[in-house]
Amino acid sequence: MNLETTQSQSVARLTREISIILIGTILLTLSAKIAVPFYPVPMSTQTLVVLGLGLFLGPVRSSLVVVTYLFEGLLGLPVFAGTPPALAGPAYIAGPTGGYLVGFALAAAAAGWIVQALQGLRPAFRASVAVFLGSIVMYCAGLLWLGGFVGYGEKLLNAGLYPFLLGDLTKATIAVVLYTAYHNRRAV
């Protein structure tokens, strides 16, 4: 193998990784803009994408995608839910949902790490455990931050947990089904 071949392979690999990250941020942005009518509150599809990124891309790539997405929003790009008319940027991330945004990166990394750590077990079980624990990580970060705005206790749970559980359970189930179907199809 000569130096030229090695360099072109490195460029191809780098191009592939950058493309994966950009496509992931596009998916996250689109998922922030899509609101599905649901009871008791409309749900975005962001947690589906965040957990799916963790399952399919692993801890490093998925967290890089989410951190890049957060950086885009920090720069003022309208990537977050409600932007526009709300302004993106540091104020948005410092707002009530900022903990959930940071929790997205942690959840993607956790789900990716767990699904890899449980390699050798059935895909549905691996994905279920990964999505469950990733969701807990996301909620912990989000609720901890949100508590600074609404207070802690029952009021916090009514504002930042209870209304979203059914929707997030639905999205988690979809992520597990997609992951399982993909891996079962590959096994055939």
Side-chain angles (χ1 to χ4, degrees):
M1 206 181 266
N2 62 29
L3 182 60
E4 198 172 298
T5 304
T6 304
Q7 286 176 338
S8 67
Q9 287 175 343
S10 295
V11 169
R13 238 183 320 232
L14 181 62
T15 302
R16 179 175 181 261
E17 293 300 320
I18 290 171
S19 297
I20 289 169
I21 290 169
L22 290 178
I23 290 168
T25 63
I26 291 168
L27 283 173
L28 264 175
T29 300
L30 291 175
S31 70
K33 307 299 181 182
I34 297 171
V36 178
F38 207 75
Y39 179 82
V41 294
M43 70 174 178
S44 78
T45 53
Q46 275 189 297
T47 55
L48 169 63
V49 172
V50 165
L51 295 169
L53 288 170
L55 294 176
F56 285 98
L57 298 181
V60 175
R61 280 186 184 144
S62 65
S63 57
L64 277 173
V65 167
V66 179
V67 167
T68 302
Y69 167 77
L70 295 175
F71 186 67
E72 291 168 349
L74 191 63
L75 292 175
L77 296 175
V79 296
F80 300 135
T83 60
L87 294 177
Y92 190 95
I93 292 176
T97 60
Y100 293 99
L101 293 171
V102 171
F104 286 169
L106 300 173
W113 181 80
I114 292 164
V115 82
Q116 287 179 355
L118 297 178
Q119 197 70 29
L121 299 174
R122 292 184 176 269
F125 178 76
R126 286 194 329 253
S128 296
V129 171
V131 163
F132 177 71
L133 294 176
S135 296
I136 289 173
V137 167
M138 180 196 62
Y139 271 113
C140 285
L143 290 170
L144 184 64
W145 185 260
L146 181 61
F149 291 87
V150 301
Y152 293 92
E154 192 67 24
K155 187 174 181 182
L156 172 62
L157 298 177
N158 286 328
L161 178 67
Y162 299 148
F164 304 100
L165 285 177
L166 187 57
D168 282 346
L169 178 63
T170 302
K171 292 178 277 186
T173 302
I174 293 169
V176 169
V177 167
L178 291 173
Y179 181 82
T180 303
Y182 174 77
H183 280 276
N184 287 343
R185 191 175 139 256
R186 285 183 59 201
V188 174

